[in-house]
Amino acid sequence: MPPALERPLVASNSLARSIVELGSATSAVARAELRKLWRDPTDIFTRSVQPALWLLVFGQVFTRMHAIPTGKLSYLEFMAPGILAQSVLFSSIFYGINVIWERDVGLLHKMLVSPAHRSALVLGKCATAGVRGLAQGTVIYAVALLLGIRVRWDPAALLLVVAAVALGSALFATFSLVIACLVKTRDRFMGIGQILTMPLFFASNAIYPIEVMPRWLQIISRGNPLSYLVDALRVAMIPGARPVFGVPVDLALLAVVLLLLVTLASRLYPTIAR
């Protein structure tokens, strides 16, 4: 074979081998993380209590008040996807504390000296966060059915919910890893996590439409990734729901932000061990 043809072939084989190795390492990290979840599945349900109470209490009260305009949807129907997004946010935003714990017990140092690429360590945790988010989504769906909320069950809608929840969980879990790499202590991390969760939630379209917000809050909401997650989930879950941004825009933005955060977290990950 001429040298001019050999070089692209070698480069192609090298790229394919790198992708396979990255996938294998990511799978190994994800399996290790899922074993932790399997040993303590109560964590999923305890973290689902607060979102369920939002639907059972807050949603019921505001449905009777008719205080928030939601078009043709009942307030519970409008709110249910937002509470699923809240569940994804609240469970993922504290994911980084596990990395700080791994450093404190010496496990992180062992992972960093392994041949696995840093991005595989981050992607493995992203995949686990996605599984956790889907498990919590099942709980929210059960509460929605209990309350008589109309839900779409067609395969395309369910696949869209799975994709949106997985993307959202991975995005906020990676954001949490970035914070953990910057603050490096559990006390600081918990404080910052508490500060971030409520503004992200309330500056989104989870519990009220963007149109009823003041202008300055509308601008913030349109720059909030949680708003795009809610928008995709609302269209996928509720019959007759209209998108604010459009589902392709929602998924594309979540994917781009996730990619940027994975790149940043992969660069910062080794610094947490210092």
Side-chain angles (χ1 to χ4, degrees):
M1 182 179 295
L5 295 178
E6 285 183 0
R7 283 193 293 270
L9 183 59
V10 170
S12 176
N13 291 338
S14 177
L15 177 61
R17 185 165 55 252
S18 298
I19 293 174
V20 171
E21 290 174 354
L22 178 64
S24 177
T26 299
S27 176
V29 174
R31 288 197 303 270
E33 293 289 321
L34 287 173
R35 280 196 291 269
K36 299 177 188 176
L37 186 61
W38 179 258
R39 294 191 188 103
D40 186 21
T42 57
D43 182 58
I44 292 174
F45 296 99
T46 55
R47 290 186 182 274
S48 301
V49 170
Q50 184 177 358
L53 287 175
W54 272 84
L55 279 175
L56 291 168
V57 179
F58 188 88
Q60 295 275 8
V61 171
F62 271 73
T63 295
R64 293 175 178 272
M65 292 175 62
H66 304 285
I68 299 176
T70 56
K72 295 181 180 180
L73 304 180
S74 71
Y75 185 68
L76 274 176
E77 291 173 341
F78 178 87
M79 187 185 185
I83 297 306
L84 175 53
Q86 181 206 50
S87 176
V88 167
L89 170 66
F90 283 17
S91 64
S92 300
I93 202 69
F94 292 104
Y95 206 77
I97 200 168
N98 294 331
V99 179
I100 298 175
W101 174 83
E102 289 172 355
R103 182 205 60 193
D104 292 342
V105 300
L107 180 60
L108 182 63
H109 295 79
K110 296 178 181 178
M111 296 175 68
L112 289 174
V113 298
S114 69
H117 194 274
R118 301 294 175 264
S119 58
L121 302 178
V122 175
L123 289 171
K125 293 183 179 296
C126 288
T128 310
V131 173
R132 184 190 294 268
L134 291 173
Q136 289 186 311
T138 304
V139 176
I140 301 302
Y141 261 77
V143 175
L145 290 175
L146 180 66
L147 295 175
I149 298 173
R150 296 179 304 146
V151 178
R152 292 178 58 187
W153 293 105
D154 54 288
L158 292 175
L159 284 174
L160 180 54
V161 170
V162 169
V165 168
L167 274 174
S169 298
L171 187 155
F172 291 113
T174 310
F175 182 47
S176 178
L177 291 178
V178 170
I179 297 172
C181 292
L182 294 174
V183 301
K184 300 183 180 181
T185 67
R186 279 179 278 187
D187 292 339
R188 290 178 184 172
F189 181 88
M190 291 299 295
I192 292 176
Q194 293 286 355
I195 291 172
L196 289 174
T197 49
M198 299 315 291
L200 281 169
F201 177 56
F202 285 112
S204 74
N205 56 348
I207 55 176
Y208 32 66
I210 292 178
E211 292 76 18
V212 304
M213 300 178 185
R215 181 61 181 169
W216 64 269
L217 189 56
Q218 289 187 26
I219 295 172
I220 294 174
S221 180
R222 290 179 183 276
N224 183 354
L226 189 66
S227 295
Y228 295 85
L229 174 60
V230 173
D231 191 46
L233 289 175
R234 189 165 284 139
V235 172
M237 286 182 65
I238 307 301
R242 293 187 175 182
V244 177
F245 310 108
V247 173
V249 174
D250 296 329
L251 297 182
L253 185 133
L254 291 172
V256 169
V257 174
L258 174 59
L259 180 61
L260 293 174
L261 286 173
V262 167
T263 303
L264 179 59
S266 300
R267 290 180 177 274
L268 292 175
Y269 205 77
T271 66
I272 196 173
R274 298 172 188 168

